[in-house]
Amino acid sequence: MLRKISSYLLLPVLVVLSACSKDEPVTEQAVEKPMQRTTIVSDATPGQTIPASKTYTFVDAVNVVIEDSRLDSTAVQGELRNAIASVMQAKGYGYEPNVAKADLVMGFLFSLESGLPDAELIKIFGLSPGLMSINSDGRYEKATLVLGAMSSDTKQVYWKTMLQGFADFERPRDEATKRADRLVGEMLANIPTAEQ
């Protein structure tokens, strides 16, 4: 009798437990997902620190790609400028080639971990997203992108944001460009729209 009552009580519990569990196959996409992980930090809310502006520009001295034989620094600089320009124009800013007439200078620094380790980034920028390094076969390396909005003389940084992720040296160039566009868009998402 006691055995029958136990069976009746256990049956619903087992049914509920089996309904909650699910076997999911591990796919390659799930294995590669950690390599797509990114972390972003900022030093402030850009709408509170960037003055009302209408125009922006770029200055080579503050658009830096740390040299590495695996990177085409000129191409990376161009891709980052294009990605930033796309976001800025979508927010209503006009590009001003004359730095003296621009309201903002958009600066950036891109580096692989081997070129500029986290300890140095913290000393220079006071920020660290804290993404952990990985041991890889050379396909991946932790990379950092710092973006900032600054005064036209580049002496005052109004706001900066830092992203860390993994550079994939086997990713096709067009995929890497699309990923850079998406990540820069995320980093600049809170930039205020241009004053009209």
Side-chain angles (χ1 to χ4, degrees):
M1 177 83 158
L2 187 58
R3 192 176 272 181
K4 268 188 178 178
I5 293 173
S6 303
S7 300
Y8 290 126
L9 291 175
L10 278 177
L11 185 61
V13 171
L14 290 174
V15 170
V16 169
L17 288 176
S18 65
C20 293
S21 66
K22 185 162 107 172
D23 288 335
E24 299 241 358
V26 176
T27 63
E28 265 192 54
Q29 189 176 22
V31 172
E32 286 195 359
K33 211 164 180 89
M35 297 309 137
Q36 295 175 10
R37 180 174 174 229
T38 57
T39 305
I40 300 173
V41 295
S42 297
D43 68 348
T45 302
Q48 296 175 348
T49 58
I50 297 174
S53 306
K54 294 180 182 181
T55 60
Y56 74 97
T57 197
F58 296 108
V59 173
D60 285 341
V62 293
N63 287 183
V64 178
V65 176
I66 303 292
E67 292 292 325
D68 186 284
S69 62
R70 297 167 291 177
L71 299 175
D72 179 344
S73 297
T74 303
V76 172
Q77 184 185 54
E79 288 172 6
L80 290 172
R81 282 184 174 185
N82 289 340
I84 293 167
S86 178
V87 173
M88 296 300 283
Q89 289 166 6
K91 290 187 172 274
Y93 291 87
Y95 176 73
E96 173 56 62
N98 182 344
V99 70
K101 293 181 180 179
D103 297 322
L104 298 173
V105 169
M106 296 305 293
F108 62 82
L109 177 134
F110 178 83
S111 178
L112 298 172
E113 184 176 31
S114 57
L116 199 59
D118 283 357
E120 291 299 312
L121 289 166
I122 292 169
K123 282 183 194 174
I124 296 168
F125 298 105
L127 295 172
S128 176
L131 188 65
M132 298 300 292
S133 299
I134 58 159
N135 292 327
S136 77
D137 58 3
R139 176 177 176 173
Y140 302 101
E141 184 173 343
K142 184 165 76 170
T144 301
L145 175 60
V146 181
L147 300 179
M150 53 193 82
S151 60
S152 59
D153 62 5
T154 70
K155 291 182 179 177
Q156 182 179 1
V157 177
Y158 299 126
W159 170 80
K160 62 186 173 289
T161 184
M162 182 183 289
L163 173 140
Q164 286 185 329
F166 293 100
D168 180 351
F169 298 108
E170 295 178 14
R171 180 178 295 204
R173 190 79 241 138
D174 63 325
E175 284 182 31
T177 300
K178 287 177 187 173
R179 184 172 188 236
D181 290 345
R182 182 179 56 79
L183 294 174
V184 167
E186 288 176 22
M187 293 175 77
L188 297 178
N190 292 326
I191 289 274
T193 55
E195 184 179 89
Q196 300 302 319

